[in-house]
Every structure is written in C-alpha cells, then in structure tokens.
Amino acid sequence: MEDFLEIGGKKLSSRLFVGTGKFPGNAVMRDVLLASGTEVTTVALRRVDPDSAAENILDYVPHACTVMINTSGARNAEEAVRIARLARAGGTGSWIKIEVIADTRYLLPDNLETLKAVEALVKEGFTVFPYMSPDLSVARRMADCGAAAVMPLGSPIGSNRGVKTKELVRILIDEIKIPVIVDAGLGKPSDACECMEMGCEAVLVNTAIAIAENPVETARAFAMAVRAGRLAYASGISGSVETARASSPLTGFLRDNG
Amino acid sequence: MMVKINGRPETLPQKVLTLEELVAGMGLNPERLVIEHNLEIVPREAWPGIRIQGNDNIEIVSFVGGG
C-alpha cells in the first residue's frame, strides 16, 4: 500500500522520526538512523566546548535524512528564535522543532512561549514543529499560525512511560487539521504502535532507542511497530464494545435442540 | 582585552584581533560553527573582517545530539 507523509514540502515514506541525543557514540547513532529507515532526525545546538572532541555530529547523519534542529535550552520565545536563526546560519536548513522549557523537573513545554515562537519563526520562513502539551486551543492557534505539525508529548521527556496523554492527543487528532506527531516519553515499540493506531501521522523517538542495550535492533523494532500501527489505522481497525461478539457461527451443534 | 565568550568573561591574547583569529586561537574546527557577535550572526566568510572590541559579546555554537 502506497502511504506517504507529506509534510513541510517533503514526501516521507517513514513515519518514525529519530532523535540523536544520548547515544553512546556517533557511529552507533549513524547505524541506528540507517536501520530505522528514518528520514527525519533531530539535532541540537550548544555552545562549543573547546575541550571536547571536534567531531561534527552532522557528518554521521545519513544524506537521506532531513535534519530538524531543536531549540532545546530555550526558556522563552526569544531564545528559541535566536537558536533557530543560529541553526539556519549553520546550514542545516529550515526545519525547526520548537522546544521551549521553563520547568526543570518534568521538562514540560511552555505552550504560550512556544506559540509565540511558532508565530515568529513561520514569519521568518522556517518550517516549524512545536513540541507542546496537548491542549486543543493552543494546537489550533499553532495550526492557524502555520505550524507544519504539532508535537504533543506522550509523557515527560526521557521517562519512557508511554502515551499518558492519550485522551488529549486523541482529541487533537480529531480536531486539528495539521499532522499530530507524538514526541517524548515513548518507551516501547508498542507505545509507538498505539500512537499510530490512533491516527498520529508520525512519532519521534530518542531515549528509548539511544539507551537500549542494543540500539540498532531497538530502532528496527520501533520502525516495525510504527508501520504496523499505521497500517492498522489506515485499514480501518474497528472499535471495541463491552460484551462479546461471536466470531464463529452460534447455531446449535452436537446437542439436542431443546 | 576583555570580552565575553559563551557567557564567560575571557581575556584575549594581544594577537587575536578578528573572529577568524579567535576561532583559530581556541583550536576550534571552524566547520559547522556558528558565531553570534553582539547578537548578530556572522557568516563564516565575514569572520576575518570582524574586528573584536573590548566588552564584545561572542557566542560560538555547534551541533550536538538532541531529541
């Protein structure tokens, strides 16, 4: 079945986006990106550390991948805009994951500052993917401002707790016209599959893959789960009911008719 | 000369006059670095022409892994 995700002017065949944080090394990260079949990967921007190895992470990103720079480290809209401009000057293109976080314990996004950054960066020609708490009215405004997608969290970043926000994400999928991409907290392939079955257009996974014992095989498992979930959604899986519905004929058999 | 580099006060050696010389002096690989000089992004080709003044605010960033 032909199934592409058209987003930000691109046509993608993989609906699994993979983050590049926390990997034990650049070589294994590259193997993961290749094994996962991903076409979108996130990278961050940081002040240089003159004492660290001068390796350039972008040299390890396969050419088929679109790089999406995240604005992590930004505490308000202004800082997010500044980071996005720096990233573009670094030559990674115009795809930006807007991540504005003011809370250090749960790393929950600041929806209001994020919305401001969406507005500003769309005007500057960026293709923006806001990381957000799944709130319908904020998501609507982000869509109205020209966001390419909304990226609600499943659960706190790096927590591997799965889709704790499921009901709210489901409402976004139902109501929002731009793609909904669950980002953060997906700990197992089944979590990713659950998102796709619900009708998410894609998911973004980082920690669960990067810190797995075998990141490459975990990436493959996530890729399969995303495909399975998408196929299930696209094939129109049916809803659930409280009581049994026989799947075999219920005509009497091997006993007297009463 | 005192300047601020990545938020930290630093004293520059006498011979460092431009952004190009600053990057070389810090032993950084200029590939994929981005420099913001007093809040203005400076394209790589302009580094040799930007003279550093006292109290300048310089940010030097590069790409790292992130989710």
Side-chain angles (χ1 to χ4, degrees):
Chain A
M1 187 179 70
E2 290 279 316
D3 176 44
F4 294 102
L5 169 57
E6 292 190 30
I7 195 163
K10 293 186 192 284
K11 199 170 166 183
L12 307 172
S13 44
S14 168
R15 292 171 180 271
L16 172 61
F17 297 3
V18 179
T20 59
K22 299 186 197 167
F23 279 95
N26 284 338
V28 64
M29 181 207 83
R30 180 181 171 80
D31 290 345
V32 158
L33 295 179
L34 290 169
S36 67
T38 189
E39 292 162 290
V40 178
T41 186
T42 55
V43 170
L45 206 60
R46 280 292 175 279
R47 286 169 162 169
V48 288
D49 172 6
D51 302 324
S52 79
E55 260 189 355
N56 179 3
I57 191 167
L58 297 174
D59 292 340
Y60 290 83
V61 173
H63 291 296
C65 280
T66 295
V67 172
M68 184 193 284
I69 299 299
N70 78 26
T71 65
S72 71
R75 287 157 301 179
N76 53 47
E78 201 180 315
E79 287 179 3
V81 168
R82 209 169 140 200
I83 293 169
R85 288 175 182 158
L86 284 165
R88 185 153 68 180
T92 50
S94 64
W95 280 35
I96 296 288
K97 169 180 160 182
I98 303 178
E99 186 178 320
V100 181
I101 289 172
D103 163 68
T104 54
R105 186 163 152 83
Y106 288 101
L107 300 179
L108 292 181
D110 181 330
N111 273 357
L112 299 182
E113 289 296 312
T114 304
L115 176 61
K116 282 189 219 163
V118 169
E119 208 170 358
L121 289 173
V122 166
K123 279 187 190 142
E124 294 190 20
F126 287 93
T127 303
V128 303
F129 297 79
Y131 170 61
M132 49 108 56
S133 286
D135 176 275
L136 179 58
S137 48
V138 170
R140 278 207 178 107
R141 286 182 191 169
M142 288 170 170
D144 290 345
C145 286
V150 287
M151 301 216 291
L153 61 111
S155 51
I157 294 173
S159 70
N160 286 347
R161 293 184 63 212
V163 203
K164 297 296 176 199
T165 57
K166 186 170 182 177
E167 200 46 40
L168 295 168
V169 170
R170 194 192 61 70
I171 292 170
L172 296 193
I173 293 168
D174 197 30
E175 292 288 322
I176 299 296
K177 292 191 178 68
I178 58 176
V180 174
I181 300 172
V182 171
D183 174 12
L186 302 183
K188 301 184 297 292
S190 55
D191 298 332
C193 188
E194 187 180 7
C195 293
M196 299 309 295
E197 283 176 354
M198 283 164 67
C200 288
E201 292 290 337
V203 293
L204 196 159
V205 182
N206 186 351
T207 301
I209 296 174
I211 68 173
E213 221 172 286
N214 186 331
V216 172
E217 292 302 315
T218 306
R220 284 202 181 99
F222 268 98
M224 286 178 191
V226 167
R227 285 224 315 272
R230 177 65 188 178
L231 188 57
Y233 170 76
S235 64
I237 43 172
S238 59
S240 61
V241 289
E242 287 298 309
T243 55
R245 299 289 182 275
S247 47
S248 307
L250 285 181
T251 47
F253 178 51
L254 295 179
R255 71 181 120 88
D256 293 336
N257 277 333
Chain B
M1 172 166 54
M2 285 292 290
V3 295
K4 208 182 249 186
I5 298 174
N6 288 347
R8 289 199 346 220
E10 306 269 358
T11 308
L12 290 190
Q14 295 278 320
K15 60 181 191 329
V16 172
L17 299 174
T18 66
L19 290 179
E20 180 85 359
E21 288 163 3
L22 175 68
V23 168
M26 289 172 75
L28 299 172
N29 175 1
E31 191 203 345
R32 297 284 186 179
L33 286 184
V34 188
I35 301 186
E36 199 189 64
H37 177 241
N38 298 331
L39 297 177
E40 291 235 5
I41 295 168
V42 184
R44 168 100 188 264
E45 56 278 11
W47 294 355
I50 300 286
R51 287 186 76 89
I52 301 172
Q53 315 281 332
N55 298 320
D56 274 359
N57 201 342
I58 299 164
E59 291 282 343
I60 308 174
V61 300
S62 65
F63 296 98
V64 298

